[in-house]
């Protein structure tokens, strides 16, 4: 199985800050990397697919980059509704695996 | 707008079989380029892919669960189902169904997801 490791596991930031969350794969996965947002008690929601493509309806303050083994999710200017948990997920090969999550908290 | 909704018992006894159904509305379960999958999340923990099915019945399962998992589809009812046998407390989780887009030589992704249903394994 391909292991996905996110860092940091938690992050404190303020409204308006720019934050970067990283995700590293245990082997090269090209651009087969998706980012999901999960709010408490809710299902995950797709934000970014194929490493850098913004899903329809997702605000443009979210962006993704990377290829191979190293990827980033950037939120350019944090809004109050962005303080929640984010997961990366690889679709290079089954079994599809997720990172352990990054919890974004208000400072 | 496509929607998915999980249904099934919220409590299952140890050693028994967990059975859930996902009903798809607002779109066709037989559309090309989509798989239909199950993902679970133990309370307070991360996400684990269980498996997927295509509308014609082809399946793929997580090897860690393969010996206990069966996913089936009923296109006439726009439903697909999960059965997990010989459950233990470790199978307690929120179970999500999701549509998985795929295309040859292009990254697949899960979207949308159902709201999830909590299944507790306890006597």
């Amino acid at each position: 199985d391909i292991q996905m490791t996110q860092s940091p596991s938690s992050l404190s930031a303020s409204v308006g800050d720019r934050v970067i969350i990283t995700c590293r794969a245990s082997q090269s996965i090209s651009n087969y990397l998706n980012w999901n947002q999960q709010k408490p008690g809710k299902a995950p929601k797709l934000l970014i697919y194929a490493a850098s493509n913004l899903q329809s309806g997702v605000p443009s303050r979210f962006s993704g980059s990377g290829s191979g083994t190293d990827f980033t999710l950037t939120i350019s200017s944090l809004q109050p509704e962005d303080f929640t948990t984010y997961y990366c997920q690889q679709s290079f090969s089954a079994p599809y695996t997720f990172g352990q999550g990054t919890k974004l908290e208000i400072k | 707008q496509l929607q998915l909704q999980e249904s099934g018992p919220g409590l299952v006894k140890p050693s028994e079989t967990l059975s859930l159904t996902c009903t798809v509305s607002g779109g066709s379960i037989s559309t090309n380029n989509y798989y239909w999958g199950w993902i679970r999340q133990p309370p307070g923990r991360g996400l684990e892919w269980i498996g997927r099915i295509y509308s014609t019945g082809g399946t793929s399962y997580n090897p860690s669960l393969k010996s206990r998992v069966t996913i089936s589809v009923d296109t006439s009812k726009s439903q697909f189902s999960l059965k997990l046998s010989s459950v233990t407390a470790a199978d307690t989780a929120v179970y999500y169904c999701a549509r998985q887009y795929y295309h040859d030589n292009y990254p697949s992704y899960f979207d949308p997801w159902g709201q999830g249903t909590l299944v507790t394994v306890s006597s």
Side-chain angles (χ1 to χ4, degrees):
Chain A
D1 299 5
I2 297 175
Q3 305 303 314
M4 306 302 294
T5 303
Q6 288 181 232
S7 61
S9 295
S10 63
L11 176 59
S12 294
S14 301
V15 172
D17 283 353
R18 176 175 179 265
V19 297
I20 298 174
I21 298 169
T22 64
C23 179
R24 174 165 289 175
S26 60
Q27 66 182 73
S28 179
I29 57 171
S30 184
N31 67 332
Y32 286 60
L33 190 283
N34 307 313
W35 288 98
N36 298 275
Q37 177 193 64
Q38 187 177 32
K39 296 187 176 181
K42 300 295 186 182
K45 170 189 169 185
L46 180 69
L47 296 177
I48 302 283
Y49 63 94
S52 61
N53 294 272
L54 195 67
Q55 174 66 341
S56 175
V58 174
S60 59
R61 64 181 179 273
F62 292 92
S63 63
S65 67
S67 184
T69 60
D70 294 313
F71 303 87
T72 60
L73 172 69
T74 301
I75 311 173
S76 60
S77 178
L78 280 170
Q79 298 303 300
E81 61 268 30
D82 300 337
F83 291 92
T84 188
T85 302
Y86 296 85
Y87 292 94
C88 62
Q89 175 249 323
Q90 65 83 15
S91 61
F92 185 78
S93 66
Y96 307 115
T97 47
F98 295 81
Q100 81 279 14
T102 295
K103 186 173 184 179
L104 193 47
E105 299 173 312
I106 298 177
K107 185 182 289 184
Chain B
Q1 180 182 358
L2 190 84
Q3 292 186 314
L4 294 83
Q5 177 70 59
E6 305 88 352
S7 59
L11 182 64
V12 181
K13 290 182 168 57
S15 79
E16 296 190 343
T17 296
L18 178 160
S19 296
L20 295 174
T21 295
C22 182
T23 301
V24 179
S25 60
S28 174
I29 200 171
S30 300
T31 306
N32 288 343
N33 296 118
Y34 292 110
Y35 293 119
W36 304 91
W38 291 95
I39 298 144
R40 71 179 182 177
Q41 185 173 35
R45 299 183 62 184
L47 297 153
E48 180 181 32
W49 177 73
I50 299 170
R52 69 169 190 224
I53 191 165
Y54 191 60
S55 59
T56 54
T59 55
S60 177
Y61 300 134
N62 191 323
S64 68
L65 298 168
K66 188 173 183 178
S67 63
R68 299 193 291 131
V69 172
T70 303
I71 298 176
S72 58
V73 64
D74 185 337
T75 56
S76 68
K77 294 182 179 179
S78 288
Q79 293 178 335
F80 61 105
S81 298
L82 169 70
K83 291 188 184 300
L84 182 65
S85 64
S86 305
V87 298
T88 69
D91 296 309
T92 294
V94 176
Y95 286 77
Y96 297 100
C97 58
R99 184 181 69 174
Q100 181 183 359
Y101 170 81
Y102 80 94
H103 192 278
D104 287 349
N105 300 315
Y106 193 80
S108 67
Y109 51 84
F110 300 110
D111 182 68
W113 299 55
Q115 66 183 26
T117 187
L118 175 62
V119 179
T120 302
V121 179
S122 176
S123 54

